[in-house]
Amino acid sequence: MDAILVVNAGSSSVKFQIYGLGSSDGPQRLVKGRIDGVGTLPRLRAETQDGSQLVDKSYGPREIADVPAAIAAAGDWLRSTQKFELVAVGHRVVHGGPQYDRPVIVDQDVLAQLEQYSSLAPLHQPNNLAPIRSLLALRPELVQVACFDTAFHRTHNIVADHYAIPEEFYREGVRRYGFHGLSYEYVAGRLRDVAPKDASGRVIVAHLGSGASMCALADGKSVESTMGFTALDGLPMGTRSGQIDPGVLLYLIAEKKMMPSAVEHLLYHDSGLKGISGISNDLRELESSAAPGALLALDYFVYRIGLNAGMLAAALGGLDAFVFTAGIGENSVAIRARVAEKLAWLGANFDPSANAAGNSLISQPSSPVRLYIVPTDEELMIARHTKSLLSRPSPIAVRAIA
């Protein structure tokens, strides 16, 4: 069977999925796996679509010391155990910069362009590109597709994307991009099935996970996002600061004599829920703790979600629905309840019983603003984009498979 491999590479883990292309209903997930603990305690796990375990194997740190080695190990296992014909690989790439507003087939020129955006997403971009670079060297004939978290937000108008700095910087690419676009694109499409009337209206989607952001949708298109030039802006996250006065950064550099690299590490690795709580970046651990720092971190997280909901509702000129998605949004009953309280002034009438049951609709039937839980699926979105590009050859595609 012809199949697509979808890769989502992080700093110490690689998620991968195999999608079969034999169905008229689109890509069908066959295998879901991951290698985590790269460089420390590497472990390969995979299962079928119905949850049956296929492999659970541990490695020594030197056997899988980096992301390219993890990709190679996953590829070796897939080739030796799974019977399919790999026709393409789809990759999540966080930053497409000002140039890429849609998925693209990658060759060496495209890869070189994407590498220029690594400083704008230092937690993600280098790791997103590592498997692409590795596969270009090992399998140059294999079509690879980059799918960007920034592309979905290119429907913003010019006012929403500007900073109040000289225009020359905007022309150079210093602008508000927005991220988590693959998640928002999937949720916007799924909402057409879950709630078609609301899908064409004014909707805020809250992608709440270790990385967290919110997006305002009008008729399924992004008009505003809480994230900006980098994935640091907006909501506090597991280890990222979220919105912060630029004067704080000037203070850290000028008065505290911190090097820019140290400030970058502080904002990306030691801030957010981890920084406020002094305990953990894992919301589940904070929810189970009675420590004052944990309580403050949770209060701050919910408070900022409520504030940003007001901002996005203003951008939309009102609100018809609010959607929870991603790890925290889909699984934390308590966070959904607390956020719903913050949305009451906008017209959301919360249903605690529906929330506790994990129903799709968690607002009262008569609520002027509907509240939904819509699980996201970024990997399926990548598979769909990859399949679409395979069916529409371009000059780049011809060069890539020649």
Side-chain angles (χ1 to χ4, degrees):
M1 177 190 296
D2 286 350
I4 290 171
L5 170 64
V6 170
V7 178
N8 187 346
S11 59
S12 61
S13 67
V14 174
K15 300 176 186 177
F16 62 90
Q17 297 190 17
I18 295 291
Y19 289 84
L21 299 180
S23 172
S24 59
D25 294 330
Q28 302 295 307
R29 185 180 287 110
L30 304 175
V31 176
K32 180 178 182 180
R34 65 183 293 142
I35 296 181
D36 48 23
V38 172
T40 54
L41 296 172
R43 182 181 179 188
L44 166 64
R45 287 172 287 177
E47 60 186 31
T48 61
Q49 173 62 14
D50 64 7
S52 301
Q53 182 174 292
L54 293 171
V55 65
D56 189 343
K57 179 181 179 180
S58 296
Y59 298 81
R62 294 184 180 179
E63 291 183 274
I64 302 181
D66 52 26
V67 168
I71 288 290
D76 288 344
W77 176 78
L78 287 166
R79 282 190 296 274
S80 64
T81 64
Q82 304 301 304
K83 305 303 180 184
F84 56 83
E85 185 66 31
L86 190 63
V87 297
V89 182
H91 300 266
R92 179 196 178 202
V93 177
V94 165
H95 217 303
Q99 183 169 350
Y100 297 105
D101 63 354
R102 66 199 66 191
V104 63
I105 292 177
V106 183
D107 61 7
Q108 291 290 353
D109 291 338
V110 172
L111 178 62
Q113 183 69 46
L114 296 177
E115 286 173 337
Q116 296 181 28
Y117 308 137
S118 291
S119 63
L120 306 186
L123 279 188
H124 302 91
Q125 195 86 348
N127 297 306
N128 297 156
L129 300 182
I132 298 177
R133 187 181 305 107
S134 180
L135 285 171
L136 277 174
L138 295 172
R139 296 280 307 276
E141 81 288 354
L142 187 61
V143 176
Q144 297 192 74
V145 175
C147 300
F148 305 105
D149 264 342
T150 50
F152 183 68
H153 301 293
R154 294 299 293 274
T155 51
H156 291 185
N157 67 42
I158 195 169
V159 173
D161 278 354
H162 259 72
Y163 290 108
I165 56 178
E167 184 68 9
E168 64 193 79
F169 293 106
Y170 181 86
R171 291 193 294 269
E172 292 174 7
V174 181
R175 60 187 69 175
R176 299 185 68 250
Y177 290 98
F179 297 88
H180 292 135
L182 291 165
S183 175
Y184 293 127
E185 184 178 9
Y186 178 83
V187 170
R190 186 75 185 96
L191 201 59
R192 288 195 289 268
D193 298 322
V194 173
K197 183 178 294 186
D198 284 330
S200 61
R202 302 163 299 181
V203 180
I204 294 173
V205 182
H207 177 106
L208 306 179
S210 180
S213 70
M214 296 164 66
C215 176
L217 301 178
D219 194 19
K221 293 182 174 61
S222 175
V223 299
E224 182 59 270
S225 171
T226 57
M227 283 182 168
F229 181 56
T230 70
L232 272 176
D233 202 3
L235 302 180
M237 292 163 255
T239 62
R240 282 173 270 172
S241 63
Q243 183 181 13
I244 188 169
D245 183 342
V248 173
L249 312 186
L250 298 176
Y251 170 81
L252 295 176
I253 294 171
E255 301 297 327
K256 303 294 288 185
K257 308 303 181 186
M258 292 178 68
M259 296 297 292
S261 59
V263 174
E264 178 181 91
H265 190 276
L266 171 70
L267 298 179
Y268 275 101
H269 297 280
D270 293 330
S271 298
L273 299 180
K274 177 184 177 183
I276 294 177
S277 70
I279 297 172
S280 175
N281 64 312
D282 191 323
L283 185 129
R284 293 166 296 187
E285 188 173 345
L286 298 179
E287 286 187 318
S288 64
S289 173
L295 299 177
L296 176 61
L298 293 173
D299 287 346
Y300 185 81
F301 186 58
V302 171
Y303 176 70
R304 301 305 299 189
I305 294 171
L307 282 183
N308 280 274
M311 176 191 75
L312 296 178
L316 290 167
L319 189 62
D320 299 309
F322 187 99
V323 177
F324 295 92
T325 195
I328 295 170
E330 294 170 28
N331 296 297
S332 177
V333 174
I335 291 296
R336 289 197 302 264
R338 293 187 62 182
V339 171
E341 290 178 4
K342 298 288 186 183
L343 303 176
W345 71 277
L346 285 167
N349 298 329
F350 180 57
D351 185 337
S353 297
N355 180 50
N359 293 351
S360 176
L361 179 67
I362 59 171
S363 54
Q364 298 286 347
S366 60
S367 179
V369 171
R370 273 72 62 192
L371 304 175
Y372 296 98
I373 305 170
V374 179
T376 192
D377 197 333
E378 294 164 308
E379 287 78 16
L380 178 56
M381 204 70 245
I382 294 170
R384 288 172 176 170
H385 283 309
T386 302
K387 181 179 184 296
S388 177
L389 278 184
L390 283 175
S391 65
R392 292 187 286 109
S394 69
I396 290 179
V398 172
R399 291 201 303 274
I401 63 178

